[in-house]
Amino acid sequence: MNPKDLATATQVTWCPGCGNFSIMSSMRMVLAELNGEGIPLENIVLVSGIGCHAKIVDYMNVNSFYSIHGRTIPVASAIKIANPDLKVICFSGDGDSLAEGLDHLIFAAKRNIDITMILHDNRVYGLTTGQFTPTSPQGFKGKSTPSGAVEHPINPLDLMLVSGASYIARGYTHGIEQLQTLFKEAILHKGFSFVDVLQVCVSYNNLYDSYNKWTYTVQGNDASSFEEAQKIIRSWNYDRSDVPIPLGKFYQKEVERFDQSFEQYRPNLSERDSKMKILLENFI
Amino acid sequence: MDNFSTLIGGIAGDGINEAGLTVARLFSRLGYHIYMYYDYPSLIRGGHNFSLVRVSQGKIAAHTDQIDVLIALNQDTLEKHAGRLKESSFVIYDADKVKLDETKHRGCGLTITQILKEAGAPAIMKNTCIIGGYCKVVGLDWSVLQDVLKKHIPKMLELNMQVARRGYDQAAQFCHMGNHADSSNDKHAQKPQPVLTGNQAISLGLIKAGMGAYVAYPMTPSSSILDFMAKFGPQFGLKVIHPESEISVMLMAQGFAYAGVKAAVGTSGGGFCLMTEGLSLAGMAEMPVVVIMAQRTGPSTGLPTYTAQGDLHFVLNAGQGEFPRFIVAPGDAEEAYYWAGFAMNLAWKFQVPSFILTDKTVSESQYSFDIDLAADPSGDLKEETLMSHLLWDGLGEYKRYRYTETGISPLAFPPLHGQVIKADSYIHDENGITTEDPQIATQTSDKRQRKGQFMAEYLEGYETVKVLGDEKSKTGLLCWGSNKGVCEEAARKLGLRVIYVLVLSPFPEKRLKSALQGVERLFAVECNSTGQLARLAGFYGIKTQDRILKYDGRPFSVEYLLAQLGRVLA
């Protein structure tokens, strides 16, 4: 399968130079590769929220549910529970999943449900034209914070680690090969996988120069160690722009999954009426 | 005795609901029809709880203010309910806790503390002891109670039997309740029926219709559906989830729908507020979802454990934008069972949100439940036969939102080899891809409205409005939901016609107008302060002369409604 076959005829409306292009082409390549490796394309379901990131589902000729702002996780969770054979991949933004839908994200990690979250983390609201988000640094001058944001940012990876996510990684939209590796690992991982992608918004928060200067890929780290993962994750807290920013896989562990507990429950229509009769006897 | 009411009262933690249920089961075994209203404040221990069990030889779905027997576990119960006692009534009470003025009321006290002490039984068994005494009071055979206890007391059965027997032996007989189950000559004879709450009946109706998942966040008075599903659902292969919020609940239901699993959610007003965002998504993405909306007194937290019919217009209008929805408000357990299954099938047939609108009264009251009366002979609840009609035929390219004459697009679920299935919250084309094209915007809106139109036509074949009482009377009572039973009973006494509206959306204009033929004076009876059904009917040119409204959180009793009718009819 050629990754180009995964495109729809829809005109792409992202700004030229937008980091979303890298995420989309990486994902197309990974899905084509997985198809060749025995995961049929029809078993993939993409779920997106609302924001620039979310348009990706219109541009990919793959099953999808274009949900609402902040609400990828509950939709994706139910699709997975409904049919464990499906691979469910969420695309979400930092405003989408860290502000409006933060509770769902934490619960997905807490449940370690077997779905993947790709966070298009551009650290600004793009589609609403430039307000600060939960990962914007303190002092960020956006349209809603013209004098600079008072709050410090959330470190989403730190939050995911303590909440129970079992695959945690960070990529950067200037590193397509690494994105492919991380996306593939995340999709194949059994459990809740979270990939934070430093996705540059060229129109409202162009951080290419800063990221090019400060990002580096971690080498030889022990991804099974919670402590080591936490140390790497906390070495950059999204506030400062004068410290190294680690990329790569930080944490991976096989643990019990929420979705497993439902696999035994399938409606048995042939026994339903007789079981209902027996149940009603209990109420006499 | 045609009608016989028993009230049992005590503090929260005394097991008053269960004790009421035991009384209900005793009479159910004797072939009586049951209605039990359970009244409790929003607390775990203390306060005042009471169960009002009414039994009758015919079907009932309302309580009376007056009672025949009062079972008082504390003084508070006697004082609060003394006004309900008739001259002929009898009080059975805990003699250690309650002082009865025997010049005013007849009764007998049981030395419960002593009985429990001698038996070495825990305090919670006081209700078993007093129920034992009660059986003697109303002239029931010991064997009936023995049978009920054996079946429903899971722990320390022997000890329970012992204290019940002591209570039975100590009490005096006051009357003799006949056995209708045994007497074959009795025209009212019925075999013992299960006693179910409206919520339990809804749960069974949904299971019958092939529900595969139930998702809910606890909120009174809907929580008992979640509890029921979690307890009994697994044996039906049901996936039951209690997630982080009602927002998640509503979105999960749509993930299930997208993947082909029939799902339902349940909540009350406050939780439904959180669901409205997702409800609108269901409207746009055409995701079938069943919502059980169990009303309680609002606004806001209101009276959490008390009833109301204050959310009709909220449910009618919830969610931004315009999309069709189905709303049914059942009035008893049998209707709850049938219409819950119907609501599920309808949601899938038309790919719309489908509401079962109840209130605390219907949701938590106990009713005799005859599944043969509730079951639909035409097989509407057989989802196996229905689903196949909804599916894509597999020819050509699959389009999730294909335009059709009825507005209904064929369904398919992933994985579907060689095809993609796209759902979308934006205005979208037939393939489910976002567009801002004005022509498509119009077409998709027309598509949704066509579905609504088709659904309205389909429902014309069903009894969405019922006429009860004296069908020829020129004076009508207009009601919905839980007021069905009380209106029917009052109307029978006064020779009035009841026009009971079961389906509230799509509004059954034709059927309602035909039900109203010959009615010269129409009175709305509702548990809200503005007459919400009367207002809705008003949109269709139907005028009500007066409104009998109750909005103190308590349902209408038969006597109260009769008194109010006396006032407006005078």
Side-chain angles (χ1 to χ4, degrees):
Chain A
M1 177 181 285
N2 188 328
K4 282 183 186 155
D5 297 339
L6 295 180
T8 60
T10 313
Q11 193 196 347
V12 179
T13 59
W14 288 322
C15 307
C18 176
N20 283 325
F21 286 102
S22 313
I23 295 176
M24 182 162 71
S25 56
S26 304
M27 189 55 77
R28 280 179 185 165
M29 282 189 265
V30 168
L31 294 184
E33 209 175 299
L34 287 173
N35 187 59
E37 293 169 14
I39 298 178
L41 194 65
E42 64 263 24
N43 283 40
I44 306 286
V45 180
L46 313 177
V47 181
S48 73
I50 295 294
C52 287
H53 77 270
K55 297 180 177 200
I56 194 168
V57 296
D58 277 336
Y59 307 150
M60 306 252 301
N61 197 29
V62 179
N63 295 323
S64 64
F65 195 127
Y66 202 148
S67 180
I68 48 181
H69 193 58
R71 317 287 179 223
T72 54
I73 298 273
V75 172
S77 300
I79 293 172
K80 181 69 191 180
I81 293 165
N83 187 347
D85 296 336
L86 300 173
K87 291 272 179 200
V88 190
I89 305 164
C90 298
F91 298 93
S92 183
D94 43 320
D96 193 85
S97 261
L98 300 177
E100 192 95 9
L102 183 62
D103 47 350
H104 310 308
L105 184 65
I106 291 172
F107 272 76
K110 173 179 181 280
R111 297 178 185 127
N112 191 36
I113 185 162
D114 187 18
I115 59 175
T116 297
M117 165 61 81
I118 309 294
L119 193 78
H120 300 228
D121 194 354
N122 58 10
R123 307 168 69 199
V124 70
Y125 286 87
L127 208 51
T128 53
T129 69
Q131 295 83 9
F132 90 121
T133 77
T135 50
S136 305
Q138 190 190 38
F140 182 89
K141 289 187 176 167
K143 284 187 175 169
S144 60
T145 53
S147 322
V150 179
E151 302 161 46
H152 291 284
I154 286 174
N155 181 338
L157 302 189
D158 203 4
L159 182 64
M160 286 296 91
L161 185 66
V162 298
S163 301
S166 55
Y167 178 96
I168 299 171
R170 182 188 287 132
Y172 168 37
T173 50
H174 253 195
I176 279 204
E177 279 180 20
Q178 183 179 50
L179 282 185
Q180 284 178 58
T181 308
L182 298 178
F183 287 177
K184 193 173 171 185
E185 280 179 2
I187 293 166
L188 292 175
H189 174 74
K190 285 277 185 192
F192 185 60
S193 49
F194 182 85
V195 184
D196 181 44
V197 182
L198 299 176
Q199 172 241 324
V200 169
C201 172
V202 289
S203 299
Y204 296 105
N205 196 18
N206 191 337
L207 295 170
Y208 276 126
D209 289 344
S210 172
Y211 287 160
N212 286 342
K213 183 174 175 190
W214 291 106
T215 55
Y216 73 101
T217 298
V218 289
Q219 303 285 350
N221 58 316
D222 176 9
S224 70
S225 162
F226 182 94
E227 289 73 24
E228 197 173 328
Q230 195 169 50
K231 205 171 153 198
I232 297 167
I233 285 168
R234 288 185 174 179
S235 69
W236 180 61
N237 63 6
Y238 294 74
D239 223 0
R240 295 173 63 173
S241 53
D242 57 352
V243 292
I245 301 173
L247 304 175
K249 178 172 85 177
F250 304 148
Y251 188 67
Q252 185 168 19
K253 204 163 190 180
E254 280 270 323
V255 280
E256 205 182 349
R257 293 176 280 120
F258 184 68
D259 43 294
Q260 283 173 309
S261 64
F262 293 96
E263 286 176 11
Q264 55 179 309
Y265 302 127
R266 296 279 165 97
N268 182 345
L269 297 176
S270 62
E271 289 178 9
R272 185 186 50 197
D273 288 6
S274 58
K275 281 187 172 171
M276 206 180 270
K277 232 172 208 168
I278 295 166
L279 179 59
L280 275 174
E281 284 291 314
N282 293 333
F283 289 86
I284 295 177
Chain B
M1 222 173 275
D2 182 33
N3 267 296
F4 190 82
S5 286
T6 303
L7 188 149
I8 175 162
I11 60 169
D14 276 349
I16 297 300
N17 192 14
E18 196 55 35
L21 203 45
T22 304
V23 171
R25 285 168 176 153
L26 290 170
F27 285 105
S28 190
R29 273 180 171 60
L30 298 183
Y32 287 92
H33 291 268
I34 310 296
Y35 172 76
M36 175 179 130
Y37 167 69
Y38 178 49
D39 189 297
Y40 62 104
S42 184
L43 48 78
I44 311 294
R45 291 272 184 272
H48 175 68
N49 288 11
F50 67 93
S51 295
L52 219 167
V53 187
R54 188 168 170 230
V55 309
S56 169
Q57 289 168 1
K59 277 208 91 54
I60 42 166
H63 74 278
T64 53
D65 286 331
Q66 291 201 317
I67 54 176
D68 298 285
V69 177
L70 175 63
I71 307 175
L73 282 165
N74 59 8
Q75 192 68 31
D76 201 23
T77 300
L78 178 62
E79 276 159 22
K80 280 197 156 73
H81 301 286
R84 297 174 178 273
L85 296 169
K86 300 175 275 190
E87 215 166 283
S88 60
S89 304
F90 194 84
V91 184
I92 175 166
Y93 56 96
D94 182 345
D96 302 317
K97 301 265 175 64
V98 182
K99 285 213 169 3
L100 183 77
D101 182 350
E102 292 192 8
T103 60
K104 281 190 189 160
H105 308 292
R106 290 191 296 161
C108 75
L110 303 182
T111 57
I112 293 179
T113 312
Q114 199 189 336
I115 292 174
L116 295 189
K117 200 177 161 192
E118 282 171 17
I124 185 71
M125 285 194 193
K126 65 184 165 191
N127 63 36
T128 316
C129 180
I130 208 161
I131 295 278
Y134 170 79
C135 285
K136 176 70 134 327
V137 165
V138 297
L140 299 188
D141 283 347
W142 167 249
S143 62
V144 182
L145 178 60
Q146 212 175 11
D147 191 33
V148 170
L149 292 182
K150 267 188 195 155
K151 182 153 182 184
H152 294 283
I153 304 263
K155 283 190 288 188
M156 297 194 280
L157 176 64
E158 282 309 312
L159 198 54
N160 270 291
M161 297 272 257
Q162 201 185 324
V163 299
R165 182 72 213 195
R166 293 284 303 275
Y168 187 86
D169 291 341
Q170 210 177 77
Q173 186 167 343
F174 155 68
C175 63
H176 180 76
M177 295 298 289
N179 188 337
H180 295 285
D182 287 347
S183 48
S184 49
N185 295 333
D186 190 333
K187 64 181 163 67
H188 298 296
Q190 70 158 6
K191 62 177 204 269
Q193 295 291 359
V195 179
L196 292 189
T197 63
N199 278 350
Q200 289 165 342
I202 286 169
S203 306
L204 289 172
L206 291 172
I207 290 170
K208 175 76 178 169
M211 178 172 60
Y214 184 73
V215 196
Y217 188 90
M219 185 167 185
T220 307
S222 69
S223 315
S224 58
I225 304 173
L226 175 59
D227 301 349
F228 183 93
M229 298 293 193
K231 187 172 177 186
F232 299 111
Q235 61 175 299
F236 295 99
L238 203 61
K239 298 170 171 73
V240 182
I241 307 179
H242 163 186
E244 61 273 21
S245 66
E246 286 89 349
I247 294 175
S248 186
V249 165
M250 193 51 154
L251 273 291
M252 278 193 176
Q254 292 175 58
F256 277 119
Y258 173 82
V261 172
K262 292 181 170 181
V265 305
T267 190
S268 188
F272 184 59
C273 287
L274 296 188
M275 289 186 182
T276 55
E277 177 199 52
L279 177 72
S280 184
L281 170 64
M284 176 58 101
E286 302 191 42
M287 289 294 149
V289 54
V290 172
V291 185
I292 304 148
M293 230 305 271
Q295 300 165 99
R296 65 191 219 188
T297 313
S300 195
T301 313
L303 297 172
T305 59
Y306 289 93
T307 202
Q309 296 183 308
D311 299 331
L312 173 58
H313 284 265
F314 177 32
V315 172
L316 278 166
N317 296 293
Q320 75 270 31
E322 299 166 307
F323 55 93
R325 67 195 74 193
F326 173 69
I327 305 173
V328 64
D332 58 37
E334 280 140 11
E335 282 182 355
Y337 171 83
Y338 171 76
W339 286 96
F342 188 93
M344 178 63 87
N345 288 340
L346 206 81
W348 281 79
K349 185 175 175 70
F350 296 95
Q351 299 170 39
V352 292
S354 188
F355 289 88
I356 303 157
L357 183 61
T358 68
D359 56 12
K360 188 254 177 175
T361 311
V362 163
S363 277
E364 296 194 341
S365 292
Q366 305 272 356
Y367 302 83
S368 292
F369 177 76
D370 185 345
I371 198 162
D372 296 330
L373 277 183
D376 177 46
S378 68
D380 275 350
L381 300 187
K382 282 198 188 128
E383 55 93 42
E384 306 90 300
T385 55
L386 190 83
M387 200 69 173
S388 58
H389 296 295
L390 311 174
L391 298 177
W392 179 53
D393 59 12
L395 302 174
E397 184 195 4
Y398 181 70
K399 294 180 173 183
R400 174 62 188 85
Y401 300 106
R402 183 183 291 279
Y403 297 146
T404 62
E405 208 178 311
T406 57
I408 301 168
S409 311
L411 287 171
F413 315 109
L416 188 61
H417 184 68
Q419 304 287 345
V420 292
I421 302 165
K422 291 178 108 60
D424 195 352
S425 70
Y426 279 91
I427 294 284
H428 44 258
D429 63 17
E430 285 182 280
N431 289 309
I433 290 189
T434 305
T435 176
E436 286 163 341
D437 182 289
Q439 199 185 337
I440 296 178
T442 310
Q443 282 172 338
T444 55
S445 178
D446 291 345
K447 175 187 194 297
R448 288 190 299 277
Q449 293 313 316
R450 256 199 327 277
K451 286 201 305 182
Q453 190 56 43
F454 184 44
M455 177 163 62
E457 286 163 18
Y458 174 81
L459 282 163
E460 281 174 14
Y462 289 87
E463 201 180 5
T464 51
V465 176
K466 288 183 181 172
V467 178
L468 311 165
D470 180 351
E471 296 181 11
K472 297 206 174 80
S473 172
K474 290 178 178 165
T475 305
L477 304 181
L478 180 69
C479 70
W480 60 287
S482 59
N483 286 332
K484 173 196 176 191
V486 74
C487 284
E488 184 175 15
E489 210 170 321
R492 284 223 174 106
K493 284 208 166 75
L494 300 178
L496 308 176
R497 186 188 321 190
V498 176
I499 299 93
Y500 166 61
V501 184
L502 251 161
V503 172
L504 297 146
S505 172
F507 196 72
E509 185 181 359
K510 272 191 201 165
R511 275 191 178 258
L512 179 56
K513 286 186 171 163
S514 120
L516 284 167
Q517 266 181 13
V519 170
E520 288 166 6
R521 289 197 299 170
L522 185 63
F523 302 101
V525 180
E526 302 189 45
C527 289
N528 54 52
S529 64
T530 56
Q532 296 204 5
L533 175 59
R535 253 196 293 154
L536 179 59
F539 294 149
Y540 299 88
I542 295 160
K543 291 205 167 53
T544 41
Q545 271 63 46
D546 209 340
R547 297 167 187 197
I548 300 171
L549 306 175
K550 197 168 192 301
Y551 39 92
D552 58 358
R554 278 71 177 174
F556 283 98
S557 65
V558 177
E559 295 96 327
Y560 181 84
L561 182 57
L562 285 170
Q564 293 299 309
L565 284 169
R567 178 180 60 81
V568 296
L569 292 172

